[in-house]
C-alpha cells in the first residue's frame, strides 16, 4: 500500500504562463496534487488579478490569493530577448507548459508548441483561449462573461421573465480550468504509453456550449428554446427556492413522485400528493403555476428556521439560501476542513472560519475539495509574492550565478 504522504504529481514540473482565472485555476489544482508550478509573471505588475482590488489584505489581492496557492512565482520579462531565452530554457525542462495568451501569442516569442516540441518531444503543451485556436474568431480575446453571453448561458440564467444574468462566480472559466487539468492528466498518462507529449487546446466557448447540457439537448433534439426560470427547474417540479415569512429563502428539490409526496406531507399539504393535477411530475409540470402558488403561500406562513427544522430529512434534499458567513459556518463545511490556515512570511498566519468576527476569514484559503485514500491533495504553501522564487528556480534549474542574476535584474529582464 502506498503512503498517503505521496503526492500523485510529485516530480512533475509545470511552466505556467497563464493569468487571471481559467489557467491559474487549472495549475492550482495540479499543484495541489504535487506538481511544482513555476508561475511566470510580468515584472512589476505580475498576474492581472494581483491588481484586482479591493478587497485586499496586506497589499495582496484576495482574487489573486484564491487561485495561486502552492506555486512558485518567477518575474521574467517576456518582451526582452534574454527573458525569452530564460523562459524557453525553463519550458524545455518542464513536463507541462500551460498558457492562455491570445492565439499565437507565444509563437511570436519563440515559445510556441512547434518550436518547443522539436527540442522537448515529451512536453505537454496546453493552450487555453477564448474561442479556440482556429476559426473566424480565433484571434479574438475572451472573458468568462463574453463566453456566458455568446454561448447561450445568459439566455437561460436570471429572473423568470427578467433580463439576463451572469453567474455569481466565473463558472465558464472554472469549468474550462477543470477540463484543462483533466486533459493534462490524460496526456501525462498517454505519454507513459507513446513516449511523447502533445498539444492540447481548450477554450471558453467550447466549454460553455458543452456546459448547456440538458437545456442544449432539449433544443438540439426537441427544438425547445431555453428560457430563464430563476431558481425553478424546467422539467422538475418543485425544484426551486421559496420565500419564507421573513423574506429569506429555502430550497427544495423533489426529484421524483415519492419525494414530492414526502415533501408535501412534511409541509402539512399531504392532500396535494393525491390530487390528479399534481400526482406525477408530468402533471406537476403541466400545472406548474397552480402548484407553486399553493406551496409558496405555505412557505410564507413560517420563518426560515421552522422550515430548516421541519424539512430536515436525509431522503429529501433541501436547504436554506445561505450568506457566505452562514455557508462557511455550516457544520459539514467545518467537518470537511474546507477552510484552512496558511502561513506566509510576509502576511503571516491566516485565521480560520468559526470565529465570531468573520471578516478576517477573507485571508483564509479554501482547501482542495477532493480527498484521496492513498495520496496527498493539499495546501502546502501560501500564494507567492511577485518574483518570490525567481532566484531560487533560476539557480537550481538553470545554474545561473548570483552575478548573472544581478545583471539580469539590473537590465530589468527579471526581478526578485
Amino acid at each position: 500500500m502506498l503512503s498517503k504522504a505521496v503526492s500523485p504529481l510529485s516530480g512533475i514540473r509545470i511552466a505556467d504562463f497563464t493569468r487571471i482565472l481559467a489557467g491559474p485555476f487549472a495549475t492550482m489544482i495540479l499543484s495541489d496534487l504535487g506538481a511544482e508550478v513555476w508561475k511566470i509573471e510580468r515584472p512589476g505588475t505580475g498576474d492581472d488579478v494581483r491588481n484586482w482590488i479591493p478587497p485586499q489584505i496586506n497589499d495582496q489581492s484576495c482574487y489573486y490569493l484564491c487561485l495561486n496557492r502552492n506555486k512558485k512565482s518567477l518575474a521574467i520579462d517576456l518582451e526582452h530577448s534574454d527573458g525569452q531565452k530564460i523562459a524557453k530554457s525553463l519550458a524545455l525542462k518542464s513536463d507541462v507548459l500551460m498558457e492562455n495568451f491570445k492565439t499565437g501569442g507565444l509563437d511570436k516569442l519563440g515559445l510556441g508548441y512547434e518550436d518547443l516540441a522539436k527540442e522537448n518531444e515529451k512536453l505537454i503543451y496546453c493552450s487555453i483561449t477564448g474561442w479556440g485556436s482556429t476559426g473566424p474568431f480565433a484571434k479574438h480575446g475572451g472573458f468568462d462573461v463574453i463566453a456566458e453571453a455568446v454561448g447561450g448561458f445568459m439566455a437561460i440564467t436570471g429572473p423568470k421573465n427578467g433580463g439576463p444574468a451572469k453567474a455569481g462566480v466565473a463558472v465558464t472559466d472554472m469549468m474550462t480550468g477543470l477540463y484543462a487539468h483533466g486533459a493534462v492528466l490524460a496526456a501525462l498518462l498517454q505519454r507513459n504509453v507513446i513516449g511523447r507529449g502533445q498539444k492540447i487546446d481548450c477554450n471558453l466557448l467550447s466549454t460553455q456550449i458543452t456546459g448547456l447540457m440538458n437545456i442544449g439537448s432539449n433544443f438540439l433534439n426537441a427544438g425547445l428554446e431555453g428560457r430563464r426560470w430563476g431558481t425553478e427547474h424546467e422539467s422538475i417540479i418543485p425544484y426551486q427556492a421559496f420565500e419564507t415569512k421573513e423574506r429569506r429563502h429555502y430550497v427544495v428539490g423533489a426529484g421524483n413522485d415519492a419525494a414530492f409526496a414526502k415533501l408535501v406531507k412534511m409541509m402539512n399539504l399531504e392532500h396535494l400528493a393525491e390530487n390528479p393535477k399534481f400526482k406525477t411530475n408530468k402533471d406537476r409540470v403541466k400545472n406548474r403555476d397552480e402548484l407553486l402558488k399553493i406551496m409558496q403561500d405555505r412557505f410564507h406562513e413560517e420563518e426560515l428556521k421552522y422550515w430548516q427544522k421541519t424539512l430536515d430529512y436525509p431522503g429529501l434534499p433541501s436547504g436554506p439560501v445561505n450568506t457566505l458567513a452562514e455557508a462557511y459556518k455550516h457544520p459539514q463545511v467545518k467537518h470537511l476542513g474546507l477552510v484552512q490556515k496558511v502561513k506566509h512570511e510576509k502576511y503571516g498566519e491566516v485565521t480560520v472560519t468559526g470565529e465570531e468576527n468573520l471578516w478576517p476569514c477573507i485571508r483564509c484559503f479554501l482547501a482542495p475539495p477532493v480527498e484521496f485514500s492513498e495520496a496527498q491533495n493539499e495546501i502546502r504553501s501560501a500564494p507567492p509574492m511577485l518574483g518570490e522564487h525567481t532566484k531560487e528556480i533560476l539557480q537550481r534549474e538553470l545554474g545561473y550565478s548570483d552575478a548573472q542574476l544581478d545583471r539580469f535584474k539590473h537590465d530589468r529582464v527579471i526581478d526578485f
Side-chain angles (χ1 to χ4, degrees), residues 41-351:
E41 302 188 71
R42 184 187 304 113
T45 55
D47 190 328
D48 302 57
V49 299
R50 287 185 182 273
N51 302 300
W52 286 7
I53 54 177
Q56 58 186 323
I57 182 69
N58 292 347
D59 297 325
Q60 298 298 303
S61 157
C62 292
Y63 203 117
Y64 166 78
L65 293 179
C66 79
L67 289 162
N68 291 286
R69 62 176 179 248
N70 292 337
K71 300 179 185 180
K72 295 181 180 293
S73 171
L74 291 80
I76 303 173
D77 184 359
L78 297 180
E79 295 182 1
H80 195 291
S81 59
D82 284 337
Q84 293 166 17
K85 292 176 183 176
I86 293 170
K88 182 176 181 179
S89 295
L90 289 172
L92 294 177
K93 293 181 72 70
S94 300
D95 296 281
V96 178
L97 184 150
M98 298 194 70
E99 61 94 10
N100 63 350
F101 281 62
K102 285 186 180 179
T103 299
L106 282 188
D107 293 270
K108 298 175 183 178
L109 305 177
L111 295 168
Y113 174 69
E114 297 300 332
D115 289 330
L116 295 177
K118 291 176 183 177
E119 299 183 58
N120 180 5
E121 66 174 8
K122 291 190 174 183
L123 179 67
I124 293 163
Y125 192 109
C126 181
S127 293
I128 299 175
T129 59
W131 305 83
S133 60
T134 60
F137 281 75
K139 298 294 184 181
H140 289 227
F143 281 115
D144 174 277
V145 69
I146 308 303
E148 287 189 34
V150 176
F153 181 83
M154 292 175 71
I156 59 174
T157 304
K160 189 176 181 180
N161 303 317
K166 70 178 183 65
V169 294
V171 292
T172 308
D173 271 339
M174 294 174 67
M175 288 192 296
T176 304
L178 286 168
Y179 272 121
H181 125 269
V184 166
L185 293 179
L188 285 168
L189 281 173
Q190 189 178 36
R191 190 177 69 173
N192 292 334
V193 178
I194 65 176
R196 62 182 182 276
Q198 60 186 295
K199 176 80 184 305
I200 298 168
D201 281 302
C202 301
N203 70 81
L204 303 184
L205 181 63
S206 292
T207 294
Q208 183 51 71
I209 292 294
T210 301
L212 293 174
M213 298 301 289
N214 58 298
I215 303 301
S217 181
N218 290 350
F219 175 78
L220 293 173
N221 296 292
L224 184 63
E225 180 62 69
R227 53 166 291 188
R228 300 180 193 98
W229 287 100
T231 65
E232 293 181 37
H233 196 290
E234 186 169 40
S235 304
I236 307 172
I237 303 292
Y239 194 93
Q240 67 179 83
F242 290 93
E243 187 178 80
T244 62
K245 186 175 182 178
E246 78 278 38
R247 303 184 69 83
R248 291 293 302 272
H249 291 85
Y250 196 82
V251 179
V252 296
N256 55 54
D257 297 336
F260 173 71
K262 181 66 176 179
L263 171 63
V264 293
K265 180 178 181 180
M266 296 172 74
M267 295 180 67
N268 292 325
L269 295 172
E270 51 263 57
H271 62 283
L272 296 178
E274 299 304 320
N275 189 322
K277 291 182 179 181
F278 313 131
K279 195 171 182 65
T280 70
N281 185 68
K282 185 177 180 179
D283 297 327
R284 294 192 292 276
V285 171
K286 182 179 180 181
N287 297 288
R288 170 192 297 266
D289 292 341
E290 182 180 353
L291 174 61
L292 294 182
K293 184 181 186 307
I294 295 171
M295 296 188 68
Q296 180 57 82
D297 288 345
R298 176 70 183 104
F299 270 100
H300 271 151
E301 293 176 1
E302 308 289 349
E303 294 187 347
L304 182 67
K305 288 184 178 180
Y306 171 86
W307 293 116
Q308 286 181 276
K309 183 177 180 179
T310 300
L311 301 181
D312 182 15
Y313 175 68
L316 180 67
S318 70
V321 175
N322 281 332
T323 64
L324 294 190
E326 290 168 335
Y328 288 135
K329 281 185 173 180
H330 193 285
Q332 189 66 17
V333 173
K334 290 183 177 182
H335 169 77
L336 294 171
L338 293 176
V339 182
Q340 298 180 3
K341 289 183 179 182
V342 182
K343 190 170 185 177
H344 189 280
E345 63 180 11
K346 293 293 184 182
Y347 43 90
E349 187 175 80
V350 296
T351 56

Side-chain angles (χ1 to χ4, degrees), residues 366-379:
L366 297 178
V370 178
E371 294 184 23
F372 292 79
S373 66
E374 302 296 334
Q376 286 185 336
N377 184 30
E378 62 181 0
I379 302 175

